[in-house]
Amino acid sequence: MMGLVRDRWALHSMEMHESHNYKFKLVNNAASTPRQKKRAILTTNRPSAFFLTRCIAVALGIHFIVMVMIWSAIIINSLFNQAVPISLNESYCGPCPKNWLCYRNNCYRFFNESKDWFQSQASCMSQNSSLLKIYSKEDQDFFKLVKSYHWMGLKKNSTNGTWQWEDGSILSPDQLTMADVEKGTCAVYGSSFQGYTENCLTPNTYICMQQIV
């Protein structure tokens, strides 16, 4: 009788122990589930944060490159748009007068004062020179960099309509290309060996030229 009671008590103790273990596992599983979910969420969010950081870095890099390109273009454009020989006028070169530019057997001076064609011609003559004449695109290749307009020694003959230099020689196509943009019989130099018609009484800056003997 005592043995039967002992066996039932042992069986009851085993069932209670197994029930306790089962409940403990359920509690542990329930407690670990939020942690696992949280860890999964963190793991899922990490690539998104990394991707966002990388996109921001790439965008900043592109912005920096674009700004550098824009500023470089502005600086280069400002350099080319300046009256190129102005800075060169400050230096003395060979047999040319002081403040004149010496380039391939010719002396040049760019004047910033605005005068009409006749006044500009008189100013050059007073300095033993004439208004600019283009002899050769190769020998005067630095003029392709000039951007602003300057009077040059080219005038249309009212009799036959041909363009003539101050010395009376006729303009040839390999010297300069003329474009009729204004009604006038005088010419200003633009850039890249391009000349433009202009009213002779319109004020413009001018270029004087002196050949080296």
Side-chain angles (χ1 to χ4, degrees):
M1 184 70 176
M2 290 298 294
L4 181 60
V5 172
R6 190 183 301 112
D7 290 341
R8 288 182 177 179
W9 174 254
L11 180 61
H12 178 72
S13 297
M14 290 177 62
E15 289 177 353
M16 290 294 292
H17 181 70
E18 289 178 358
S19 175
H20 177 73
N21 287 341
Y22 178 74
K23 290 180 180 180
F24 181 76
K25 288 181 180 180
L26 288 178
V27 171
N28 284 343
N29 289 338
S32 62
T33 300
R35 294 177 185 173
Q36 291 176 352
K37 288 183 179 180
K38 185 176 182 181
R39 189 179 302 166
I41 292 173
L42 291 175
T43 305
T44 305
N45 288 339
R46 282 176 186 171
S48 299
F50 175 76
F51 179 75
L52 180 61
T53 304
R54 188 173 182 180
C55 288
I56 293 174
V58 172
L60 290 175
I62 294 174
H63 177 74
F64 176 76
I65 293 173
V66 171
M67 291 301 297
V68 170
M69 293 176 65
I70 291 174
W71 279 107
S72 299
I74 292 173
I75 293 172
I76 293 173
N77 186 59
S78 63
L79 289 176
F80 277 101
N81 282 333
Q82 290 178 355
V84 175
I86 288 179
S87 60
L88 299 176
N89 285 342
E90 299 174 358
S91 61
Y92 175 73
C93 176
C96 294
K98 188 177 180 180
N99 296 327
W100 286 62
L101 169 66
C102 179
Y103 190 81
R104 295 191 181 183
N105 297 323
N106 289 306
C107 301
Y108 304 93
R109 186 168 183 183
F110 289 65
F111 289 87
N112 291 323
E113 57 185 359
S114 295
K115 297 178 179 292
D116 63 34
W117 190 89
F118 303 101
Q119 293 171 335
S120 302
Q121 182 188 44
S123 176
C124 290
M125 291 178 64
S126 68
Q127 301 181 66
N128 196 28
S129 61
S130 61
L131 285 170
L132 171 67
K133 177 180 179 179
I134 300 295
Y135 286 96
S136 168
K137 293 181 180 179
E138 290 75 22
D139 292 339
Q140 297 167 288
D141 56 356
F142 76 96
F143 275 105
K144 64 186 178 183
L145 300 176
V146 176
K147 297 297 182 182
S148 53
Y149 298 104
H150 308 274
W151 284 124
M152 56 182 170
L154 194 61
K155 199 170 183 294
K156 183 179 288 188
N157 189 313
S158 58
T159 304
N160 53 24
T162 58
W163 287 97
Q164 294 182 347
W165 297 103
E166 285 182 90
D167 58 11
S169 60
I170 306 298
L171 172 68
S172 62
D174 59 340
Q175 291 175 322
L176 197 73
T177 302
M178 287 297 301
D180 292 327
V181 294
E182 296 286 345
K183 292 182 179 180
T185 57
C186 293
V188 291
Y189 180 84
S191 62
S192 300
F193 300 101
Q194 182 78 42
Y196 301 91
T197 57
E198 181 71 281
N199 187 315
C200 297
L201 299 180
T202 301
N204 278 299
T205 55
Y206 56 99
I207 305 172
C208 291
M209 175 179 175
Q210 185 182 89
Q211 285 187 292
I212 298 175
V213 179

